[in-house]
Amino acid sequence: MMKLKNGLIMTMLSVLSLSLILAGCGKEEEANSSVSPTVESSAKPTESAKPTLEPYALKMFVPGSSAPKDQDLVNQEISKYLKDKINATFELTVIDWGSWKDKMNLKFASNEPFDLMYTVNWDSYSTKIQQGNIIPLNDLIDKLAPEAKKQLNPALLEGGKFNGQNYGFPVNKEIASQYGVMLRKDLVDKYAIDIKKIKTLEDLEPFYDMIKEKEPGVTPLVMNKSSTVMNRYYYPNYFEAVGDAFGTVKRNSTDTKVVNMLETPEYKSGLDLARKWYLAGYVNKDAATLQDMGGSLKSGKAFSFLEQLKPGKDAEVSQSSGIQWVQVELTKPIIATTDTTGSMTSISRTSKNPERAMMFLNLLHTDKYLVNLISFGIEGKHFVKKSDNLIDFAPGIDASTSGYNLNQAWLFGNQFNNYLWASENPNKWDNFKKFNDSAETSKVLGFIFDTANVKSEVAQAGNVSNEFSPGLDTGSVDPDEVLPKFIAKAKASGSDKIIAEKQKQLDEFMKSKK
């Protein structure tokens, strides 16, 4: 009996000694981690790198207005932090929006090794999948990022699947979209504009007339190729997105018939309004060729611009531009496939270590310090804390002089872990949840068009769209004259074949949903 007791004691002491030795091999830092307001996380994002992990250099590309001058400093801080987590260094590169697509295509064409990239539905997402340029993630997520997966609204992963696989890990953010207009607050106040009375685009016309008359040098409505009355109002208000080529489903219809949007009265109505505003002098003359509106917004030369909205979007834009804006919602929020695939991170086929890339994504979604470091920069240099979750620019700097002011936190990880700027609503994340809860769900949620059978037609249709859409959507050309040419050239490129293929796939998708 005594021998048994002594043996048990010796065994317990051995286990205790082993646990102390293991604890000394890799001391853990306390995680300052928070979670989505709707899901409690069991994440352990700050576990030390396991001794078996070889050093690895992670490379990530995202789009932005310009590369921050302090990007290297922030990369160095991230690398220091990742050393004890996943034994990796990190290099984030920001590519300007205007050349983003071309530069990323060149990287794939040259087989340049890199790990992570921003992906989004409208940026040839399905094409990247079909070309094999981004890899399936389901197994990697389940194996290496279960904590991050647990924090996501299931609709984000389900809505982004392509043939049952996720090729992008979604940013945890709002899952609905809404569109409207941003107005300069100083001019709204100056002319006592009651924004509650603005319910439609047409309601803006009296104010645009007033600004044109009384504020010389200020453009009533600044547009560019990607921010127009069409893609910031008419498309989302009247049509369901079912792919990045021709063919769409009407939002308010009771069926899922795929129609040629170019031939619908809603489309023509939008083009007519854009043309009317252009001829009235409301719109900047270079709208059809302008790449970046940032200069006009920051210089005070714009009274308004059209935008995709969410709670607190005006505060975000005010923070980045240095000019105060107020937002006016013009469409109802909806959860569509474009929203569940509206901001994702994908792993490149040229990655030498997809496993380490997924480990990084898991940390980015569960580690509060890391996501705020990549989103806002270095504490004390680029921002200072006003309270535990509230930040402001460091003394002596502002939005225009900061060395790291990406203002694109929606590119990274879990937004519910983000700090809030002092200018933002402290209830922002609660408002996000209410916004998501208030949205209707698209009847074709989760449908992603597979272009494999019509690849050449889609490529030709894209070229035709690039030729005609900028001029038409901004009102720079006469739709009565140009739209028939657009329709004819689209049909010659194979738009009818694209629509037929899309209808076939959508019918099968709807059957599978039932």
Side-chain angles (χ1 to χ4, degrees):
M1 184 69 176
M2 182 62 69
K3 285 183 178 182
L4 180 61
K5 185 178 294 186
N6 288 340
L8 181 59
I9 291 171
M10 290 302 294
T11 301
M12 292 174 66
L13 287 173
S14 297
V15 172
L16 177 60
S17 299
L18 181 59
S19 67
L20 289 172
I21 291 170
L22 292 175
C25 291
K27 186 179 180 181
E28 292 185 357
E29 296 177 15
E30 249 346 277
N32 181 17
S33 175
S34 74
V35 297
S36 161
T38 57
V39 182
E40 185 177 355
S41 172
S42 59
K44 296 179 181 177
T46 56
E47 289 185 358
S48 300
K50 296 179 180 179
T52 54
L53 291 177
E54 295 294 326
Y56 186 70
L58 288 163
K59 291 186 177 181
M60 181 177 187
F61 293 101
V62 299
S65 296
S66 59
K69 65 180 182 180
D70 287 349
Q71 185 66 67
D72 287 344
L73 291 177
V74 175
N75 287 345
Q76 290 169 21
E77 288 298 313
I78 295 174
S79 296
K80 290 177 187 177
Y81 191 67
L82 293 180
K83 175 67 176 176
D84 290 333
K85 310 299 175 188
I86 56 173
N87 201 15
T89 58
F90 182 76
E91 180 183 341
L92 176 69
T93 300
V94 179
I95 298 173
D96 68 276
W97 283 101
S99 57
W100 165 257
K101 187 171 184 176
D102 290 339
K103 286 187 176 181
M104 293 311 299
N105 285 338
L106 285 174
K107 292 182 188 301
F108 286 123
S110 64
N111 292 313
E112 177 181 333
F114 70 96
D115 303 284
L116 299 154
M117 68 175 292
Y118 166 77
T119 44
V120 63
N121 51 71
W122 50 260
D123 187 20
S124 304
Y125 176 56
S126 61
T127 301
K128 289 183 177 70
I129 296 172
Q130 290 153 8
Q131 291 175 341
N133 285 331
I134 53 179
I135 66 172
L137 303 179
N138 290 31
D139 291 343
L140 287 170
I141 292 171
D142 290 340
K143 180 181 178 182
L144 299 169
E147 299 91 355
K149 180 180 180 180
K150 185 178 180 181
Q151 293 184 348
L152 292 174
N153 185 310
L156 282 170
L157 283 173
E158 191 60 34
K161 285 182 178 178
F162 186 88
N163 291 333
Q165 281 282 345
N166 288 104
Y167 289 82
F169 198 92
V171 173
N172 197 18
K173 61 184 189 70
E174 80 281 359
I175 58 172
S177 62
Q178 186 175 34
Y179 292 82
V181 62
M182 291 280 195
L183 305 174
R184 252 179 63 185
K185 187 177 185 303
D186 62 334
L187 295 179
V188 168
D189 293 341
K190 180 178 179 179
Y191 295 107
I193 297 173
D194 185 356
I195 61 174
K196 293 181 180 179
K197 293 183 178 180
I198 302 174
K199 304 295 184 182
T200 67
L201 283 179
E202 288 81 1
D203 292 338
L204 290 161
E205 292 183 2
F207 306 119
Y208 286 168
D209 282 328
M210 179 178 63
I211 294 299
K212 181 184 175 186
E213 177 186 350
K214 297 183 178 181
E215 296 289 335
V218 175
T219 302
L221 174 63
V222 170
M223 288 197 290
N224 68 358
K225 293 192 294 184
S226 60
S227 177
T228 69
V229 296
M230 298 306 298
N231 58 29
R232 291 290 191 259
Y233 181 78
Y234 276 88
Y235 296 157
N237 203 39
Y238 294 107
F239 303 102
E240 300 270 15
V242 286
D244 54 0
F246 296 102
T248 185
V249 172
K250 288 192 176 184
R251 182 171 175 179
N252 296 321
S253 67
T254 57
D255 57 36
T256 54
K257 180 181 179 181
V258 180
V259 300
N260 187 337
M261 182 177 66
L262 307 185
E263 297 178 313
T264 64
E266 293 88 352
Y267 181 73
K268 180 59 163 57
S269 178
L271 296 183
D272 287 341
L273 181 66
R275 182 60 174 171
K276 175 185 176 183
W277 284 8
Y278 187 87
L279 293 176
Y282 299 161
V283 179
N284 49 303
K285 296 301 181 184
D286 62 347
T289 57
L290 183 64
Q291 294 280 2
D292 186 4
M293 299 188 302
S296 296
L297 305 187
K298 293 177 181 179
S299 66
K301 294 181 179 179
F303 168 62
S304 74
F305 65 100
L306 298 162
E307 182 62 291
Q308 182 173 347
L309 302 178
K310 59 185 178 182
K313 181 70 174 183
D314 49 1
E316 291 182 8
V317 177
S318 299
Q319 186 73 28
S320 65
S321 66
I323 290 179
Q324 295 298 304
W325 300 87
V326 293
Q327 67 187 55
V328 180
E329 295 85 6
L330 298 176
T331 69
K332 295 178 180 179
I334 184 173
I335 301 172
T337 305
T338 50
D339 303 305
T340 57
T341 55
S343 185
M344 302 174 290
T345 305
S346 293
I347 297 179
S348 169
R349 65 169 171 79
T350 62
S351 173
K352 303 298 184 183
N353 197 327
E355 292 80 9
R356 201 72 58 90
M358 183 55 68
M359 290 179 191
F360 173 79
L361 286 178
N362 190 50
L363 280 172
L364 198 58
H365 278 75
T366 57
D367 190 306
K368 186 167 184 175
Y369 175 79
L370 178 61
V371 75
N372 283 292
L373 177 58
I374 196 172
S375 297
F376 304 117
I378 302 167
E379 183 178 354
K381 182 174 181 63
H382 302 117
F383 69 87
V384 292
K385 280 192 171 183
K386 312 296 284 186
S387 64
D388 285 345
N389 208 48
L390 201 66
I391 63 172
D392 206 345
F393 285 114
I397 65 172
D398 57 23
S400 62
T401 59
S402 173
Y404 195 81
N405 186 30
L406 277 178
N407 193 46
Q408 295 185 142
W410 44 267
L411 290 174
F412 308 110
N414 181 0
Q415 278 211 282
F416 295 103
N417 277 343
N418 285 355
Y419 298 141
L420 295 174
W421 288 100
S423 58
E424 291 187 290
N425 187 333
N427 297 317
K428 178 177 179 177
W429 302 129
D430 289 335
N431 291 338
F432 263 43
K433 183 180 184 301
K434 293 175 183 176
F435 177 70
N436 290 340
D437 292 343
S438 71
E440 65 176 277
T441 301
S442 166
K443 57 191 171 188
V444 294
L445 178 65
F447 175 75
I448 297 178
F449 181 43
D450 184 348
T451 61
N453 293 334
V454 285
K455 279 194 285 190
S456 61
E457 289 83 3
V458 168
Q460 292 179 59
N463 291 333
V464 174
S465 183
N466 291 337
E467 177 184 350
F468 288 97
S469 291
L472 284 168
D473 288 3
T474 58
S476 304
V477 298
D478 184 358
D480 290 332
E481 177 185 344
V482 177
L483 180 57
K485 298 177 182 178
F486 187 11
I487 294 172
K489 201 162 185 179
K491 287 182 178 294
S493 75
S495 62
D496 288 342
K497 185 176 179 181
I498 294 171
I499 291 170
E501 176 65 22
K502 192 174 291 187
Q503 185 72 70
K504 176 184 174 183
Q505 292 183 28
L506 183 57
D507 289 345
E508 293 173 355
F509 173 79
M510 297 305 294
K511 287 179 183 177
S512 69
K513 282 187 67 174
K514 292 178 181 178

